[in-house]
Amino acid sequence: MALNLVMLGPPGAGKGTQAERFAREHGIPKVSTGDILREAVHSASELGIAVQAVMERGELVGDDLIIGIVRERLSRPDAVAGFVLDGFPRTAAQANALDQITAARGPVICVEIQVPDEELVRRVQARRVCEDCGANADAFEHQANALPGSCQNTERCKTAGPKWVARSDDSASVVRERLKIYWRDTRPMIDYYSARPTFRRIDGLQTPEQVREALVSAVASALGLQASQLQSMVAKKLGGGTAEPRGAR
Ligand code: ADP
């Protein structure tokens, strides 16, 4: 059974961190439109040059552009057995496109991580990413309030030492703009999903570990399974064990 998961929720809800871990532990790719666009900006590709200013203002890039990117990414062989989408869909047009793209691919599970706005602003302003590769510092095991010594994502990051910086669109004014757009465009789209039998909501104010457990239970219940049944299905698929942990979580 394909495991098609869409993570929904506002900026700073923890979608990226949870998506990364869920994807790794279930042997499916994480497809983050924010990461794809940031990589394009970082490498100054034609796409990156086209979207940089829009992203820095906290606005959304055009539907046709982002739909094309997701359509292409989900058509690759590694996404046949499932995927975790993070940051897409964000508008009704994107949700309709995703329905078409996934029409013949089994159920799509949608999980919304709920977090109040005040906490989102606090989290996003505290967020630090690796200046070199863009990985989120929260993605690595570390003590509360203490950043890991260096980013562990690539060999270059490991040896270059810590260069944690704020994301350029995480400033107070841009975060407010992103939240405004979220409430205007994305929230109504989530209401459209919420009537589906495969829609679940989880509380994003819990610890990351509790959110992870809630996510696994939500996905299992959307598939009509117990969490333990989902785990044994995945263990079988991954060859009798859980996925090898990578540096990034
Ligand atoms: P967030 O922390 O707000 O969830 P993301 O990393 O998902 O941020 O996205 C960063 C930026 O990339 C967005 O503010 C937007 O400009 C652009 N972007 C990402 N995904 C989409 C999308 N599905 N549609 C339009 N723009 C997007």
Side-chain angles (χ1 to χ4, degrees):
M1 187 192 323
L3 206 46
N4 306 320
L5 173 61
V6 175
M7 305 287 304
L8 300 169
K15 302 186 299 290
T17 308
Q18 295 295 336
E20 171 80 32
R21 187 158 174 189
F22 188 94
R24 177 165 47 80
E25 290 179 349
H26 293 81
I28 49 181
K30 170 183 118 161
V31 177
S32 158
T33 46
D35 287 353
I36 292 171
L37 296 174
R38 274 186 292 278
E39 266 167 46
V41 170
H42 190 64
S43 64
S45 67
E46 204 178 313
L47 169 66
I49 292 164
V51 300
Q52 183 166 16
V54 174
M55 289 178 75
E56 281 175 0
R57 288 197 299 272
E59 295 167 8
L60 297 184
V61 310
D63 281 334
D64 290 347
L65 180 71
I66 202 81
I67 289 167
I69 291 171
V70 171
R71 188 189 301 280
E72 187 281 323
R73 180 62 189 87
L74 294 186
S75 73
R76 293 194 209 160
D78 67 339
V80 170
F83 52 79
V84 184
L85 264 177
D86 162 31
F88 183 97
R90 265 174 150 96
T91 64
Q94 294 178 18
N96 287 330
L98 183 63
D99 282 346
Q100 284 171 9
I101 295 169
T102 56
R105 304 173 67 136
V108 174
I109 301 157
C110 301
V111 178
E112 179 189 7
I113 306 187
Q114 289 188 301
V115 176
D117 274 11
E118 320 80 75
E119 170 68 5
L120 296 171
V121 174
R122 194 195 65 71
R123 283 189 192 178
V124 168
Q125 286 182 332
R127 169 155 69 191
R128 292 294 175 268
V129 296
C130 174
E131 188 178 31
D132 200 53
C133 75
N136 192 330
D138 274 352
F140 303 91
E141 299 240 36
H142 61 89
Q143 308 258 309
N145 305 321
L147 286 176
S150 67
C151 175
Q152 300 292 306
N153 209 19
T154 68
E155 283 310 313
R156 209 165 88 162
C157 302
K158 278 185 204 169
T159 49
K163 284 177 293 178
W164 299 113
V165 294
R167 224 171 80 178
S168 61
D169 60 348
D170 278 349
S171 68
S173 61
V174 177
V175 172
R176 274 195 292 276
E177 179 65 17
R178 282 158 58 203
L179 280 172
K180 194 174 93 191
I181 293 175
Y182 172 78
W183 282 104
R184 190 190 67 200
D185 297 336
T186 308
R187 190 60 236 180
M189 181 212 80
I190 296 180
D191 288 338
Y192 152 92
Y193 274 125
S194 66
R196 299 192 179 182
T198 50
F199 177 87
R200 296 289 182 278
R201 271 197 184 102
I202 57 178
D203 175 6
L205 277 180
Q206 308 175 89
T207 64
E209 187 54 29
Q210 288 168 327
V211 177
R212 186 192 78 84
E213 284 166 18
L215 177 61
V216 172
S217 300
V219 170
S221 108
L223 291 170
L225 302 170
Q226 302 286 334
S228 57
Q229 290 174 300
L230 176 65
Q231 259 148 16
S232 57
M233 243 175 63
V234 171
K236 224 181 274 170
K237 179 182 136 195
L238 295 176
T242 48
E244 277 297 309
R246 283 203 334 244
R249 298 165 47 103

